[in-house]
Amino acid sequence: MTNKNDANKYHFDAYDLTLLMPVITPNEKGRDCGDLVVFPNTRNFSKNLPKNILMKFIYQNKIIRLFATQSWFKKLFKGVTIKVKPGNAYIFYGFRTYHGNQEIDDNLIRSTALFHYNDPFLESKLVKFIEKRRSSSKTGL
Ligand SMILES: [Fe+2]
């Protein structure tokens, strides 16, 4: 059985730089191991909030995310599948790089430490309002 809950949720990070440090990663041939897929530097850095919201609306929906799982899309947009290894650190421009994880078998464990640096919209009142609404809907407040 494969865990699809967090799989293929391709996105751009809200932060400019992402440091990914794998802690535990499965390496089972023939099984879904939740490998990282990146489309390096798909877009430029930007401090234009409406443009960022539009880009997220275009890229972070079910149809484009489904396309991102297809080999033709990976070929067209130079997607790279990475089997990350504990002990290594992976640094990429999360804001610019469309990325996500593939599916992972339910009985396999993958654990990753993520660090994000520099939020270009840190001072945005609109972003703060959206984040506040999202966190209160998760906690039921
Ligand atoms: Fe991310």
Side-chain angles (χ1 to χ4, degrees):
M1 194 165 179
T2 299
N3 182 348
K4 296 181 179 179
N5 291 342
D6 293 323
N8 302 317
K9 298 263 172 73
Y10 291 94
H11 62 278
F12 294 107
D13 288 339
Y15 299 85
D16 287 339
L17 191 68
T18 300
L19 167 62
L20 185 154
M21 297 178 69
V23 178
I24 302 168
T25 55
N27 191 9
E28 309 275 335
K29 285 196 174 174
R31 298 179 69 187
D32 295 323
C33 294
D35 294 337
L36 174 68
V37 178
V38 296
F39 298 87
N41 304 322
T42 311
R43 66 177 183 166
N44 291 323
F45 290 117
S46 174
K47 288 185 178 272
N48 183 330
L49 185 56
K51 180 182 172 188
N52 185 51
I53 292 170
L54 179 64
M55 292 292 279
K56 282 183 169 266
F57 181 76
I58 291 169
Y59 280 88
Q60 294 177 203
N61 65 66
K62 287 183 181 179
I63 294 168
I64 301 300
R65 284 176 167 167
L66 177 64
F67 287 168
T69 66
Q70 307 298 307
S71 58
W72 63 265
F73 189 92
K74 287 179 185 168
K75 197 171 189 176
L76 185 65
F77 294 101
K78 299 179 173 72
V80 179
T81 303
I82 302 169
K83 189 169 271 308
V84 296
K85 295 179 184 162
N88 290 348
Y90 302 83
I91 302 171
F92 58 97
Y93 292 128
F95 187 90
R96 298 183 60 194
T97 299
Y98 193 55
H99 62 281
N101 287 91
Q102 294 178 330
E103 297 168 0
I104 185 167
D105 283 0
D106 268 345
N107 54 355
L108 297 178
I109 296 172
R110 181 173 54 80
S111 175
T112 305
L114 285 170
F115 302 90
H116 295 111
Y117 302 94
N118 196 34
D119 179 351
F121 304 110
L122 184 65
E123 302 302 323
S124 167
K125 288 179 181 166
L126 177 60
V127 171
K128 284 180 183 167
F129 173 75
I130 292 168
E131 287 174 349
K132 191 173 180 180
R133 285 197 52 147
R134 290 173 81 189
S135 66
S136 46
S137 68
K138 285 180 185 171
T139 60
L141 298 174

